[in-house]
Amino acid sequence: MTKKSAHPLDHLVLPAENLDAVRSRLTSLGFVVAPTGIHPFGTENACVFFTDGTYLEPLAIGNEQAADLAISEGNVFVARDRLYRQTLGEEGFSAVVFGTANADADHTRYVEAGLSAGGMLSFSRAFADANGKSDMASFKLAFVSDKEADEAFLFACQRINAPKIDRTALQAHANGVTGILEIIAVSDRPAAQIGLIATAAEADASDGDAVRLPNAVLSVLSCEDYGSRFGLKVAPSPNLRFTAIVFSVRDTAAAKQLLADNAVRHNMSGNDIVVPPAPGQGAAFIFREIP
């Protein structure tokens, strides 16, 4: 049973080589992609927002010099992004982010547990809706990671100022996706990774191979179990590696038809539609109908 204090899923970070490829790929999958957001430390994103309050953050490097400077100044977000790219390439699925009302308290917990990935980060950026209306969004982040791992990290995100923007048009996806149901990671040591995730989310770690959040499940599978469950191959890793995202859809048949119409390669695993990773899509996307 998940503790009442467990943090909810906030968003997922998906490194990308460039945002044009992201827009092309995600549009072909039936997603609405938000206008580009520029960070003050060299990265930029093209987010995909859902009605359940979660979102995807495809992330590219917009200004290499600014990113270099940020890393030299101790910016953990940019440093971990670069470490991921150096280890696994320019595209993938690097981080799971939990919502929090007190990032300072989370940072203290991470330090005390010996799992802090470095100093906190506070920043603001402009946010624009589908019609170009803009407002300012402000965040405070606290980071956690296994010291030996460079394939994934986690952090808690406190929204200091939520932009007064109407996201309705940005959440009306042609594929019928309404939110994120499950995040899939692989590891040769699932039990150890469950403990790390539970600490990051301040959640219960007693639920076998998964951590149950208020709004999603984060599962850690062996590579063999991942392959048998979804029909996809992934290289083994002793550490945590995020590999797939399960989305809730209103109508599986309609989503499948959209993918077929757009010539998107996919297969079925039971009732799930499985779309393997591709340029502009760093993780496997799985569409699941929820009654």
Side-chain angles (χ1 to χ4, degrees), residues 9-189:
L9 175 68
D10 190 85
H11 68 279
L12 308 175
V13 182
L14 298 151
E17 190 163 11
N18 71 78
L19 297 184
D20 289 339
V22 167
R23 290 185 184 283
S24 176
R25 176 62 177 179
L26 297 190
T27 299
S28 75
L29 293 175
F31 290 106
V32 176
V33 184
T36 299
I38 307 296
H39 293 145
F41 33 73
T43 54
E44 58 186 19
N45 62 29
C47 295
V48 178
F49 296 97
F50 306 117
T51 55
D52 71 348
T54 64
Y55 64 97
L56 305 180
E57 184 185 12
L59 186 78
I61 306 301
N63 185 323
E64 197 76 43
Q65 289 183 324
D68 289 342
L69 178 61
I71 292 171
S72 71
E73 293 176 342
N75 185 311
V76 176
F77 180 77
V78 183
R80 293 294 312 199
D81 175 73
R82 177 167 295 179
L83 183 59
Y84 180 94
R85 293 171 191 269
Q86 291 173 341
T87 304
L88 293 177
E90 291 295 321
E91 293 198 331
F93 179 5
S94 62
V96 169
V97 188
F98 306 103
T100 182
N102 191 337
D104 292 300
D106 288 304
H107 177 68
T108 298
R109 284 195 304 108
Y110 300 160
V111 170
E112 291 175 349
L115 294 171
S116 172
M120 298 182 69
L121 174 65
S122 295
F123 72 96
S124 298
R125 75 166 181 88
F127 179 92
D129 66 12
N131 296 317
K133 181 182 178 182
S134 182
D135 195 6
M136 192 63 65
S138 299
F139 309 90
K140 182 183 285 188
L141 314 181
F143 302 92
V144 58
S145 177
D146 184 325
K147 292 294 189 296
E148 298 178 357
D150 51 13
E151 300 173 3
F153 66 109
L154 308 106
F155 59 95
C157 175
Q158 181 179 357
R159 301 187 190 191
I160 303 299
N161 181 64
K164 296 177 177 62
I165 294 292
D166 182 4
R167 290 183 177 176
T168 303
L170 294 175
Q171 297 169 341
H173 304 292
N175 54 25
V177 170
T178 59
I180 297 170
L181 293 172
E182 185 179 7
I183 303 103
I184 311 291
V186 297
S187 175
D188 295 340
R189 302 180 296 124

